[in-house]
Amino acid sequence: MMSRLRTANLVALLLPLALLAGAWGSQLIGGLIPCEMCHWQRLPHYAAVVIAVLALMVRRGGGRAALVAVAALCIGVSGVIGVMHAGVEYHWWQGFTACTATAPLGGISAADRLDALLHAPIVRCDQAQWSLFGVSMAGYNAILSLGGATLILWLLRRVR
């Protein structure tokens, strides 16, 4: 039987990997362009993956549990950002950032770069590009991240 610490560690690794795969898949395969707040949600997941991998390398002691707890907190931070972003999308409160646009960075002249920037689609943080059952990607990130962080911390509560 798998120990609670190992289970928590695997959840702390696999959950952010799955959420990042979904985000990147929707971007690269689905053609959705992430807004600034979408990128903010990804950053704590990247950190959680690195920390969870480091935790897998620790064999004994409280160091592993501490690393897994920090990974859970990173996942929870992404969930909180997801709540803030979903609230902006549902117009519950005003956003924190201006709209963003994408433009190619290298291999073209400054004039072509400016033209591409002026004709690039504007990605608004206050409009969900995709939703399922009325819940946006930011909403699903909030639900899964906060639920996952809670599960990880619950699993760690009895670890010695």
Side-chain angles (χ1 to χ4, degrees):
M1 187 166 125
M2 194 179 321
S3 75
R4 293 171 73 94
L5 177 56
R6 182 156 177 79
T7 302
N9 199 163
L10 289 176
V11 172
L13 175 63
L14 297 177
L15 176 63
L17 280 176
L19 291 171
L20 286 168
W24 277 103
S26 69
Q27 180 178 342
L28 299 175
I29 298 168
L32 300 180
I33 301 171
C35 71
E36 189 172 355
M37 291 183 81
C38 294
H39 286 294
W40 293 353
Q41 292 172 80
R42 293 179 187 187
L43 295 175
H45 285 310
Y46 293 132
V49 167
V50 171
I51 294 165
V53 167
L54 290 174
L56 284 173
M57 295 180 201
V58 175
R59 294 265 185 223
R60 296 180 187 203
R64 184 175 188 183
L67 286 170
V68 173
V70 171
L73 293 176
C74 290
I75 294 166
V77 166
S78 180
V80 170
I81 297 169
V83 168
M84 294 183 335
H85 189 185
V88 169
E89 291 174 336
Y90 298 127
H91 305 286
W92 294 340
W93 45 75
Q94 189 172 359
F96 309 99
T97 171
C99 296
T100 58
T102 58
L105 296 176
I108 62 173
S109 70
D112 289 338
R113 190 174 304 128
L114 178 61
D115 185 58
L117 182 61
L118 291 174
H119 292 94
I122 295 175
V123 182
R124 297 178 52 123
C125 294
D126 65 347
Q127 293 180 346
Q129 294 185 53
W130 178 91
S131 68
L132 179 64
F133 307 119
V135 180
S136 68
M137 288 183 72
Y140 281 110
N141 179 59
I143 293 166
L144 294 171
S145 294
L146 292 173
T150 301
L151 172 64
I152 294 164
L153 294 173
W154 180 80
L155 287 167
L156 289 177
R157 80 189 194 307
R158 291 192 181 162
V159 172
R160 295 178 190 138

